[in-house]
Amino acid sequence: MYTNEELDNLAEFYKNQLINDTVPFWFPRSYDHEFGGYLLMRDYDGTLIDTDKAVWIQGRACWLLSTLYNTVEPRQEWLEGARLGYEFIRDKCFNPDGKMYFHVDREGNPIRMRRYFFSETFAVIASAAYAKASGSGEAATFAREMFTVCLEYANGKRVMDPKFEDTRPSKGIGIPMIMCNTAQQLRETIGDPRCDGAIMGWIKEIEENFVKDDIRCVMEQVSLDGDIIDHIDGRTLNPGHAIEGAWFILHEAIYRGMDQHLIDLGLRMLDYMWEKGWDEEHGGILYFRDVYNKPVQEYWQDMKFWWPQNETIIACLLAYLITKDEKYSTMHKLIHDYAYKHFHDSEHGEWFGYLHKDGSIAQTAKGNMFKGPFHLPRQEWYCWSVINKFKV
C-alpha cells in the first residue's frame, strides 16, 4: 500500500512531469499563428516532420490547453493557444454537410473523411473546456450543438456510409465509451442536463453487451445481441481500450457518491484486461490479444503503444484510491515504473509512442495522425488531480 508520503510524492511527480516536461515539449512551438490550430507532427526532438493536421488531435490539444487554464493556472498563453484550436476546429474542419473531417492540411483544406464521429466528440470537449476558460457563450452553444450531433450519430438518427456490409453485423465498445467520457467532460465544464442519464445508459450497454464475466474479459466488438463473434476480428481484444473504459466508470462512481455497483464493474473490467494485456515477460500492456488466445491478425499485436500505458496508470491509481487494496497499488507501481522507464525521453521530454515487445524504441516520432498532446498529459493531469482530491 502507498503511504500518504508516497502519494504526495506521486502527485508532485505527475505535476512536475506535466508542467515542466510534457507540456513544454508541445507548446509554444506547436501554435500555428498563421493558419490557426496546431502543428503537432513532430520527431523526438520537436522537429516538425509534417504540417498536416489530424482534426481529432486538434480538438484534444485545445481541450488540454483549456483544461490547464481552468484547473492549473490561468496563463494567458494557454488561453490564447486554446483559442487558436477552437477557431480552427469551428471554421476549417467541417464539410458542407456538417460532418467533420479527420485529416486536413495546414490551412484546413480537406484531405480525408473517416466513417466515425470521433472528431466530433473531441470538438465537444474542446469547445466546452474553452467556453469555460474564455467565458464564451458562442463556444458553449457550439459545444452543446456538437453534443447533439454526437448523440444523433450514437443513436442512429444520423447515419454515415457503412464501412462493412450487413453480412455479419456488429457493434463496438468505442461509441459508448467515448460518449461516456464526452458527456462527463461536458458536464464538468459547462454542464448539460442530458449528460447524467445518457452516461448511465452507455455504461449499462457496456456492462450488458461487452463485459463477459464468465470468461473474465471485456470484448472490443460483439454482435448486435452482445454475443462473441468467433472470427478473427470479433475475437480481437484491445486491453488498453477496455481499461480506459474501466476508469471512466470508476470516475463516474466517484461522481455518484461512490456508487458500489459502478466501482465493482470498473474493477472487474480492470482486473480482466490486466490479466489479458500485461506482459509478464517484459512488462507493459500489449496492444492486441485474442479472447481465446488464438493468433492475432495485426502485426503490431505484441507492441507497446504509449496510450494503453497511460490509461492503465490512471485506472490502477484510481482503483487503489477508491479501494485501498494493495493489489492495485502493486499494479500501479508496475505500470508506472515500466512506462516512465521505457517511454519517457529524459533528454527532450514527452514520451516515445511505439515500442517493440522488449521495450526497445520502434520509431522516434512523438506526434503524428494518432499521437499528440492528449493521453500522456491527461494521465499526468488526472493522476495529480485525483490524488489531491482523495487527500481532501
Side-chain angles (χ1 to χ4, degrees), residues 41 52-58 60 93-95 99-105 109-120 122 368-371:
M41 304 241 199
D52 284 354
K53 295 169 180 175
V55 172
W56 64 342
I57 299 185
Q58 298 292 302
R60 292 173 176 192
C93 295
F94 290 82
N95 76 359
K99 180 77 179 68
M100 292 191 76
Y101 293 109
F102 174 76
H103 181 185
V104 298
D105 70 7
N109 298 304
I111 295 174
R112 185 181 182 190
M113 179 75 75
R114 295 199 75 171
R115 284 170 286 192
Y116 50 59
F117 58 97
F118 296 159
S119 292
E120 283 83 349
F122 289 107
N368 55 31
M369 291 296 296
F370 300 93
K371 185 179 186 299

Side-chain angles (χ1 to χ4, degrees), residues 35-289:
F35 294 106
Y38 316 104
L39 295 166
L40 298 169
M41 304 241 199
R42 297 189 177 273
D43 203 354
Y44 70 98
D45 58 355
T47 304
L48 194 65
I49 57 176
D50 198 319
T51 61
D52 284 354
K53 295 169 180 175
V55 172
W56 64 342
I57 299 185
Q58 298 292 302
R60 292 173 176 192
C62 178
W63 172 85
L64 173 65
L65 290 162
S66 301
T67 299
L68 293 173
Y69 182 90
N70 289 331
T71 64
V72 177
E73 182 183 341
R75 294 187 191 178
Q76 190 62 32
E77 177 224 317
W78 288 340
L79 182 61
E80 174 60 18
R83 182 191 65 78
L84 288 171
Y86 168 70
E87 292 181 353
F88 185 82
I89 292 166
R90 181 195 65 193
D91 298 339
K92 301 289 184 69
C93 295
F94 290 82
N95 76 359
D97 295 328
K99 180 77 179 68
M100 292 191 76
Y101 293 109
F102 174 76
H103 181 185
V104 298
D105 70 7
R106 182 179 180 185
E107 297 178 40
N109 298 304
I111 295 174
R112 185 181 182 190
M113 179 75 75
R114 295 199 75 171
R115 284 170 286 192
Y116 50 59
F117 58 97
F118 296 159
S119 292
E120 283 83 349
T121 63
F122 289 107
V124 173
I125 68 171
S127 52
Y130 176 69
K132 180 177 181 179
S134 64
S136 168
E138 187 270 341
T141 298
F142 179 78
R144 295 189 179 103
E145 289 175 347
M146 290 304 303
F147 186 57
T148 299
V149 169
C150 292
L151 288 171
E152 292 176 352
Y153 279 124
N155 65 26
K157 185 175 181 180
R158 290 185 184 231
V159 179
M160 290 170 282
D161 292 335
K163 186 174 183 180
F164 296 99
E165 299 297 328
D166 291 332
T167 304
R168 190 178 295 145
S170 65
K171 59 184 178 181
I173 197 173
I175 288 177
M177 260 187 60
I178 200 165
M179 287 300 292
C180 181
N181 188 244
T182 299
Q184 288 173 332
Q185 288 298 312
L186 177 63
R187 180 181 64 193
E188 293 169 21
T189 47
I190 59 174
D192 189 297
R194 298 171 290 180
C195 291
D196 280 356
I199 289 168
M200 292 307 292
W202 292 315
I203 291 175
K204 181 179 180 182
E205 181 179 355
I206 291 170
E207 181 175 19
E208 293 182 352
N209 289 277
F210 296 93
V211 178
K212 306 299 181 186
D213 292 304
D214 56 332
I215 56 172
R216 298 181 65 83
C217 183
V218 182
M219 300 304 299
E220 187 69 13
Q221 61 173 303
V222 292
S223 74
L224 299 185
D225 294 326
D227 296 326
I228 294 175
I229 302 170
D230 194 3
H231 293 272
I232 287 175
D233 288 343
R235 294 194 306 263
T236 299
L237 309 176
N238 188 330
H241 203 214
I243 289 171
E244 184 179 15
W247 81 254
F248 292 165
I249 292 171
L250 292 175
H251 180 88
E252 192 66 20
I254 297 170
Y255 171 80
R256 295 177 185 271
M258 293 297 184
D259 182 296
Q260 193 59 51
H261 179 78
L262 295 181
I263 291 172
D264 291 343
L265 174 60
L267 294 179
R268 296 201 314 273
M269 291 172 66
L270 171 58
D271 289 347
Y272 297 166
M273 301 315 283
W274 177 278
E275 293 168 8
K276 297 288 186 183
W278 178 255
D279 182 352
E280 293 286 354
E281 181 181 8
H282 298 288
I285 299 294
L286 297 161
Y287 203 70
F288 288 125
R289 299 286 86 193

Side-chain angles (χ1 to χ4, degrees), residues 275-336:
E275 293 168 8
K276 297 288 186 183
W278 178 255
D279 182 352
E280 293 286 354
E281 181 181 8
H282 298 288
I285 299 294
L286 297 161
Y287 203 70
F288 288 125
R289 299 286 86 193
D290 183 277
V291 65
Y292 300 133
N293 296 316
K294 296 180 180 181
V296 178
Q297 181 165 262
E298 282 74 10
Y299 61 83
W300 60 95
Q301 50 89 23
D302 65 351
M303 288 179 66
K304 313 290 171 55
F305 283 31
W306 84 103
W307 66 267
Q309 325 308 317
N310 296 137
E311 306 312 325
T312 306
I313 288 171
I314 295 175
C316 292
L317 178 62
L318 200 50
Y320 172 73
L321 292 171
I322 290 172
T323 66
K324 297 300 188 291
D325 187 332
E326 185 176 1
K327 175 177 77 170
Y328 295 116
S329 60
T330 299
M331 289 163 58
H332 176 261
K333 182 172 173 53
L334 283 170
I335 186 64
H336 170 101

